[in-house]
Amino acid sequence: MRRNLSRRRFLRGAGAAAVGVPFLRSLPAFAGVVEVPKRIVFFFTPHGTVKEHWLPSGSEASFNLGPILEPLDAFRDRLLILDGVNLKSADADYYLDQHATGMMHVLTGAKTVPGGGGFGYGAGGISVDQHIADRIGGTTRLKSLELGVQTSTTIAYESNWSRINFRGANEPVPPEDNPWEVFDRVFRDIDADPQEIEVIRAERRSVLDVVHQDIVALQARLGREDRQLLEAHLDSVRDIETRIERLPAIGKYCGAPDIGGELDDVQAPVNFPEIGRIQMDLLAMSLACDVTRVSTLQWSRAVAPTVYTWLEAGLFDGHTLSHYPDGNPVWAEDGAMTKMCQWYGEQFAYLLQKLDEIPEADGTILDHTLLVWCNELGKGNLHSHDVPWVLAGGGEGLRMGRFLEYDNEPHNNLLVSLCNAMGVPTTSFGEEDFCDGALNGLD
Amino acid sequence: MMDALPLHAMRRLTAIIYCACLLGGCAGTQPPNDGEEDDGTPDCEPALAQSPLRRLTRAEYDHTIRDLLGDTSAQAQAFPPDENTFGYSVGGAVSVLQAEQFGEAAEALASVASPFQLMLPCQPGTEGQDVCASQFIERFGKRAYRRPLAGDEVERLTALYQWGMTEYDYLGSLRLVLQAILESPNFLYRVEAGLPAEEADGVVPLSPYEVASRLSYFLWSTMPDDELFAAADAGTLSTPDEIEAQVRRMLADPKAGDALDTFYRQWLGLEAVEHLTKDPVLYPGFTPEAAQSMHAETLAFARHVFFDDDGRLETLLRAPYSFVDRRLAPIYGLSSPSETLILTDLDPEERSGILTQAAILAANAKADQGSPIHRGKFVRERLLCQPPPPPPPGMAATIPPFDPDQSTRERFAAHRSDAACNSCHQLLDPIGFGFEHYDTIGQFRTADGGEPIDASGEIVETRDVNGTFVGAIELAERLAGSEQVEECVVKQWFRYAMRRSDTSDDECTIAIAQDVFNDADGDMRELVVALATSEAFRTRLPVEE
């Protein structure tokens, strides 16, 4: 039978009608993921923190949360709060802007290399999320899922100030800032007629086969660096090609969230909180549906101009706030900088809550997910790299419910521990000079 | 990948061009060498460079699709943002998300392309479907890849068409071919392999099709038109004269405005205006609509200078007019009912070219106060090509909070009294103080913090504009007469034209272009012609294994 090629994907704007339609009705009858997976989620917020209001008081196992982490109180026995684990590799990269080095080091621990970023330098190696995804992401539809909340408000020096995930040196992985695009990407196919899916798969396979061969043919005519650039492209094409063969495993509690109609401008500051909430709903459901096991949610970016108007705590962008001098009221417990950090604490708590509402095995998804809250800086007006780490949920060999104070440990060691917690045996990550194995004391 | 390699050992420069690197350490910064007097054509040999693959930027993708399919739905605006090199957009490595989006866009575009575009001029009914399909592959393919297809490329697309015919109707199969073409690296990247080197010196001329694409993406931000394709077919895109004739034709085409907009948006950092927030109590006139007008104003002004006025850098920096609508009128102290931007004379005592335009002043300021640091940095980076280094880690980097009882100058003076800070901030803040007549949204003011405005400033560490000045009008006049600024503008255009940062190997190419620019009395149109006809623009080094 010859048909006119029909498409489910329409030009943007026409596809919005599908949003909010639950797809469960057309799911195959089988349900349930056989084995409880390990998952990791990176949660990035920018501009450093206010350490005195972030630090818990008390001892390792018996502590009170400060105002910034106070929204997480209901989860205190599932947190690991780490102070003194610093981006030492970023400090050594001092010839670059410290916001930028924080971004490029926080998940890589690798020295930057000459390349495409705005300062003439790019991240120096693969980030830990991608390293883990390469090892545990092979059976899910997406090896990893990167979500953003206004990460791409435009200024010069794009990737240096706005990316934390990298496939390798000079290969940033940009997050998707538009939740409606994410919705399409994650939930669209599942609602379709299985026969039609098969037709479309065959068609995509045929097209990608041509693309694949074109890339290989082109590589043969080019120099080393261009070949390498095309190799990254080819890797992405391969990922999609092999994904076509993978069937989505659908969890028992999987269902498309209702995310409402598309907002006019996902980059408008006034939409920031709503976009963030929708991205968290989508992230939670992506994990519940086992679409991916490795994800990053990046809020804003270093040096972002976003003004937190909804906080009524003074009309300042977070970056400017973080550069106010010590003693200024913005640093006080009820000051604008503290309020901003506390608001991010509330968002983190919202995500934990979402995951804790989804049953899995004899617990919830939160029990089988390790969340890592990170930042590019410790204190903005010093450009210091004493990042306020908060781990939440659970992972292999991690004893939660504690507050640990370290004495200037390199964060590369923590990155090693995160790999191990995901069942990815690792002894060193990033720049070797700043790594001497897993971080002690997490177990 | 961005590095160029030296080819010719002989390179003596009359005008020493210091590198685009950071001003090291700041304390003890080397002032750029004065060099010898510029007495005519620079006595140097231009060095050639590798020609890295360039992936289409989002804007280039959308413009190219517009020209190929007549479709302006701007699919690429949903792609992840482009990467950036020294302020100019480039397509970076393709992530999984990006590759998916290329696929999505190709599917969507293939599904909406009209049958008319897919079939003409062939008649499948009389000439046969397979004949028409192979015509489509060769003709459409050539426009999409911007060169004739190689045999293996035709074979692959033909095989796809044949597979399609087992599943779909004729038109459906052509759509499938179109989808593959739009996902192919040959469409998504600009490839410049060059012709076989003719001479022993290793100079590789670009093929006529490659030159056509370089010209069209530089001057139009899109694919070549029929005339460029015809010139490439006829092999008449090799000599500087042949290229110059095309460049002058292209500059007269309305599409040149697209490229000019792209250049100015990037050079001047205008994107920053789009999502600015200002204190609504202090500045109720600053609305998202006003921000859009600011952005549009500077682009309209830049287009006017380039296409309708004399095209000179001095005019860009000193023209006492701009484009004003009813949203901008209050900022300029005028009243205007106009919904659209119209050419408007401004008070020459208050306004002078781009430096005093609202977009530049507002983007380089905070929500509640102007920022001499950022305004000074704007001049230092974008007009003097001396980006300052960032503060070292652990050093206090604080911004004085707004205080209505103190002037901006007083607040920022405290910040400069620290010697460690001042070693770098002396490069920025004293230039920025020259803008004290303009508040955070660019309104002219005569008092600040209860004091009359003191707009005295100073420029240091430059080749030829050191010294004190008062106010932005005098600053603009001084910058307009500076060879360092002239050279910086050449570099900015070079970076945009070549889609890479300049290195010391490019000094000669830049010096030659600057020479033409200078002879043409600072006419930027002649600078564009000079860059497009330069040897560096027409050639490359052999592919490195």
Side-chain angles (χ1 to χ4, degrees):
Chain A
M1 182 190 65
R2 290 190 181 180
R3 302 167 304 123
N4 205 325
L5 193 57
S6 71
R7 303 280 165 185
R8 291 150 309 114
R9 161 88 183 186
F10 302 101
L11 292 179
R12 282 187 57 68
V19 166
V21 178
F23 62 79
L24 280 171
R25 56 186 162 76
S26 58
L27 282 182
F30 109 101
V33 177
V34 181
E35 198 182 328
V36 175
K38 292 189 180 68
R39 310 181 183 91
I40 190 161
V41 173
F42 294 87
F43 186 95
F44 170 89
T45 68
H47 310 314
T49 191
V50 188
K51 263 296 168 69
E52 59 268 40
H53 302 311
W54 175 85
L55 280 170
S57 58
S59 62
E60 177 181 322
S62 171
F63 54 86
N64 291 310
L65 296 172
I68 289 172
L69 297 185
E70 207 273 327
L72 297 166
D73 201 49
F75 300 98
R76 60 186 3 250
D77 56 350
R78 294 151 99 172
L79 304 179
L80 252 179
I81 301 165
L82 310 178
D83 186 35
V85 179
N86 304 335
L87 311 187
K88 294 171 81 169
S89 62
D91 277 345
D93 238 355
Y94 68 91
Y95 52 84
L96 291 175
D97 175 271
Q98 299 304 309
H99 294 279
T101 51
M103 297 298 283
M104 291 188 280
H105 280 260
V106 65
L107 299 186
T108 69
K111 186 171 171 56
T112 55
V113 293
F119 295 108
Y121 287 85
I126 192 166
S127 56
V128 70
D129 57 299
Q130 296 299 305
H131 178 83
I132 292 169
D134 282 345
R135 287 155 186 84
I136 71 169
T139 59
T140 55
R141 205 147 64 84
L142 300 178
K143 266 208 298 201
S144 67
L145 176 62
E146 291 74 32
L147 307 175
V149 187
Q150 298 183 4
T151 63
S152 300
T153 48
T154 317
I155 50 161
Y157 309 148
E158 197 60 71
S159 61
N160 289 157
W161 277 341
S162 52
R163 302 283 173 261
I164 56 172
N165 309 106
F166 301 92
R167 285 300 304 159
N170 277 317
E171 287 179 29
V173 181
E176 177 56 78
D177 279 3
N178 185 334
W180 289 271
E181 289 282 338
V182 176
F183 185 96
D184 266 4
R185 189 177 184 213
V186 171
F187 298 112
R188 184 190 46 207
D189 273 357
I190 306 170
D191 197 21
D193 170 1
Q195 266 188 317
E196 186 174 1
I197 287 189
E198 207 25 72
V199 172
I200 287 167
R201 280 187 174 156
E203 170 200 316
R204 286 186 182 160
R205 257 195 302 270
S206 312
V207 169
L208 285 176
D209 191 45
V210 175
V211 174
H212 191 136
Q213 292 180 53
D214 275 358
I215 294 177
V216 172
L218 186 53
Q219 278 181 313
R221 295 160 53 205
L222 299 171
R224 187 178 52 81
E225 286 181 339
D226 284 345
R227 285 201 303 271
Q228 207 174 313
L229 186 72
L230 284 176
E231 197 58 34
H233 193 153
L234 193 55
D235 281 346
S236 298
V237 169
R238 280 194 199 106
D239 185 283
I240 300 170
E241 284 178 319
T242 55
R243 184 193 307 163
I244 289 171
E245 311 300 330
R246 287 178 229 153
L247 275 172
I250 305 302
K252 199 164 152 190
Y253 295 92
C254 169
D258 180 357
I259 64 170
E262 183 158 358
L263 296 172
D264 282 346
D265 183 356
V266 297
Q267 303 292 349
V270 66
N271 292 329
F272 191 87
E274 189 178 352
I275 298 286
R277 181 190 54 76
I278 299 171
Q279 295 284 48
M280 290 192 288
D281 291 351
L282 287 165
L283 169 50
M285 206 39 81
S286 301
L287 300 183
C289 296
D290 205 28
V291 169
T292 191
R293 295 174 184 178
V294 179
S295 189
T296 297
L297 175 59
Q298 181 187 332
W299 294 80
S300 190
R301 60 164 172 82
V303 200
T306 308
V307 173
Y308 296 73
T309 47
W310 58 93
L311 285 180
E312 294 175 12
L315 195 95
F316 309 98
D317 64 271
H319 172 232
T320 299
L321 280 179
S322 78
H323 279 284
Y324 272 32
D326 289 352
N328 186 277
V330 303
W331 299 101
E333 188 171 338
D334 59 351
M337 182 70 194
T338 310
K339 290 279 184 206
M340 178 189 78
C341 297
Q342 189 181 48
W343 182 80
Y344 278 126
E346 290 165 9
Q347 307 316 304
F348 194 53
Y350 176 90
L351 181 57
L352 298 189
Q353 182 64 40
K354 272 272 155 188
L355 297 180
D356 206 28
E357 285 168 2
I358 307 171
E360 182 173 64
D362 45 7
T364 70
I365 283 201
L366 180 60
D367 297 323
H368 312 121
T369 304
L370 178 60
L371 294 101
V372 182
W373 182 5
C374 59
N375 203 306
E376 95 277 21
L377 290 179
K379 189 160 190 234
N381 69 12
L382 285 176
H383 285 138
S384 63
H385 287 134
D386 48 334
V387 168
W389 302 93
V390 181
L391 277 48
E396 203 170 297
L398 299 178
R399 193 152 54 84
M400 310 305 283
R402 294 183 301 148
F403 159 50
L404 299 174
E405 288 178 283
Y406 290 90
D407 180 16
N408 197 18
E409 282 288 315
H411 85 294
N412 297 52
N413 291 358
L414 173 60
L415 301 182
V416 169
S417 296
L418 297 179
C419 293
N420 294 336
M422 288 298 107
V424 175
T426 305
T427 53
S428 184
F429 196 83
E431 211 171 331
E432 283 182 9
D433 288 354
F434 295 100
C435 194
D436 40 32
L439 193 62
N440 290 321
L442 295 178
D443 49 355
Chain B
M1 179 167 74
M2 295 297 169
D3 287 344
L5 292 178
L7 177 65
H8 303 278
M10 188 186 78
R11 250 190 296 115
R12 191 173 70 80
L13 293 174
T14 51
I16 300 290
I17 300 161
Y18 58 99
C19 67
C21 56
L22 303 172
L23 284 168
C26 291
T29 296
Q30 293 283 328
N33 193 319
D34 258 336
E36 299 159 38
E37 266 313 293
D38 195 344
D39 56 356
T41 309
D43 178 17
C44 61
E45 287 278 332
L48 306 184
Q50 284 293 331
S51 175
L53 274 183
R54 292 172 183 81
R55 185 161 64 71
L56 301 186
T57 63
R58 293 195 296 184
E60 289 168 346
Y61 182 101
D62 284 337
H63 294 154
T64 304
I65 291 293
R66 174 199 65 199
D67 291 353
L68 271 179
L69 296 174
D71 185 341
T72 55
S73 58
Q75 293 289 301
Q77 292 315 302
F79 295 174
D82 298 317
E83 290 303 309
N84 188 302
T85 182
F86 279 93
Y88 296 95
S89 293
V90 292
V94 173
S95 67
V96 174
L97 174 63
Q98 180 77 79
E100 277 180 41
Q101 290 183 336
F102 289 149
E104 302 276 359
E107 278 187 27
L109 291 165
S111 68
V112 297
S114 75
F116 190 71
Q117 286 167 318
L118 293 169
M119 289 195 285
L120 277 183
C122 202
Q123 300 290 333
T126 52
E127 297 174 62
Q129 291 180 334
D130 292 357
V131 172
C132 288
S134 77
Q135 239 184 60
F136 172 73
I137 289 169
E138 289 190 23
R139 293 187 184 178
F140 188 87
K142 179 178 169 185
R143 297 187 68 226
Y145 294 177
R146 302 170 287 272
R147 58 167 172 77
L149 269 58
D152 61 323
E153 292 162 348
V154 173
E155 277 168 30
R156 284 195 285 277
L157 291 171
T158 305
L160 181 64
Y161 160 76
Q162 284 160 352
W163 178 82
M165 288 297 279
T166 65
E167 298 280 323
Y168 308 110
D169 58 16
Y170 173 67
L171 214 49
S173 304
L174 288 190
R175 291 190 195 281
L176 204 58
V177 170
L178 174 57
Q179 189 178 326
I181 287 174
L182 296 179
E183 275 191 75
S184 170
N186 298 307
F187 169 72
L188 295 169
Y189 295 86
R190 288 201 276 142
V191 183
E192 294 172 340
L195 297 169
E198 290 165 1
E199 317 264 338
D201 64 1
V203 177
V204 176
L206 297 185
S207 82
Y209 296 103
E210 290 162 356
V211 171
S213 280
R214 263 207 186 184
L215 287 171
S216 70
Y217 284 97
F218 173 33
L219 300 172
W220 284 346
S221 184
T222 189
M223 61 179 281
D225 67 349
D226 290 345
E227 205 166 327
L228 277 169
F229 273 118
D233 289 341
T236 53
L237 274 177
S238 321
T239 67
D241 285 349
E242 288 166 349
I243 293 175
E244 181 173 341
Q246 288 292 340
V247 172
R248 294 199 185 276
R249 174 183 76 85
M250 293 172 75
L251 286 178
D253 187 290
K255 282 186 284 191
D258 290 342
L260 201 71
D261 285 354
T262 309
F263 171 70
Y264 277 102
R265 275 167 65 83
Q266 298 177 7
W267 175 30
L268 303 178
L270 296 178
E271 280 116 331
V273 186
E274 286 171 354
H275 288 112
L276 272 185
T277 309
K278 300 289 182 184
D279 189 322
V281 176
L282 296 173
Y283 302 99
F286 188 89
T287 59
E289 294 74 31
Q292 278 174 14
S293 288
M294 289 178 179
H295 183 265
E297 175 204 353
T298 296
L299 293 182
F301 172 79
R303 278 186 182 223
H304 183 84
V305 170
F306 194 91
F307 293 116
D308 305 322
D309 203 327
D310 58 12
R312 293 174 61 234
L313 174 60
E314 179 168 8
T315 308
L316 190 77
L317 290 170
R318 298 192 64 199
Y321 62 78
S322 190
F323 286 77
V324 177
D325 64 10
R326 67 173 176 80
R327 293 163 207 90
L328 296 177
I331 292 170
Y332 289 112
L334 302 168
S335 60
S336 164
S338 174
E339 278 299 321
T340 55
L341 293 162
I342 46 176
L343 183 65
T344 307
D345 285 327
L346 302 175
D347 183 346
E349 302 292 312
E350 296 183 5
R351 304 287 168 174
S352 165
I354 50 170
L355 286 179
T356 55
Q357 287 178 6
I360 306 293
L361 293 164
N364 295 286
K366 296 294 177 185
D368 55 352
Q369 60 176 338
S371 173
I373 300 174
H374 293 89
R375 289 173 177 174
K377 186 162 174 266
F378 176 87
V379 171
R380 188 63 75 172
E381 241 169 31
R382 297 173 196 267
L383 292 172
L384 293 164
C385 288
Q386 292 174 301
M395 178 184 237
T398 61
I399 291 168
F402 176 64
D403 174 352
D405 297 326
Q406 264 193 326
S407 71
T408 311
R409 180 179 286 269
E410 285 169 319
R411 294 193 298 272
F412 280 82
H415 147 258
R416 287 189 59 227
S417 60
D418 184 324
C421 299
N422 195 42
S423 80
C424 284
H425 278 274
Q426 57 152 345
L427 299 167
L428 311 175
D429 307 16
I431 297 178
F433 286 135
F435 292 95
E436 274 309 282
H437 273 299
Y438 309 93
D439 67 17
T440 186
I441 67 168
Q443 298 177 116
F444 193 84
R445 60 184 182 181
T446 52
D448 178 30
E451 313 256 343
I453 290 289
D454 172 1
S456 55
E458 185 178 8
I459 314 173
V460 297
E461 306 282 0
T462 64
R463 201 158 72 220
D464 62 1
V465 264
N466 290 346
T468 58
F469 65 93
V470 179
I473 310 292
E474 188 184 346
L475 174 64
E477 184 186 344
R478 298 272 291 280
L479 294 172
S482 158
E483 279 193 16
Q484 182 171 334
V485 172
E486 182 185 78
E487 177 195 290
C488 182
V489 171
V490 175
K491 283 183 180 179
Q492 302 286 4
W493 275 104
F494 176 92
R495 293 169 189 171
Y496 179 65
M498 309 299 276
R499 301 293 198 280
R500 62 177 174 86
S501 53
D502 51 300
T503 73
S504 55
D505 289 330
D506 299 310
E507 287 170 2
C508 187
T509 297
I510 288 169
I512 292 171
Q514 188 184 354
D515 202 54
V516 174
F517 188 34
N518 189 285
D519 284 350
D521 206 16
D523 187 335
M524 291 178 287
R525 296 167 297 200
E526 296 307 314
L527 168 59
V528 167
V529 174
L531 286 171
T533 53
S534 68
E535 191 177 357
F537 197 83
R538 293 178 281 117
T539 58
R540 63 163 295 160
L541 285 175
V543 170
E544 268 189 322
E545 283 316 308

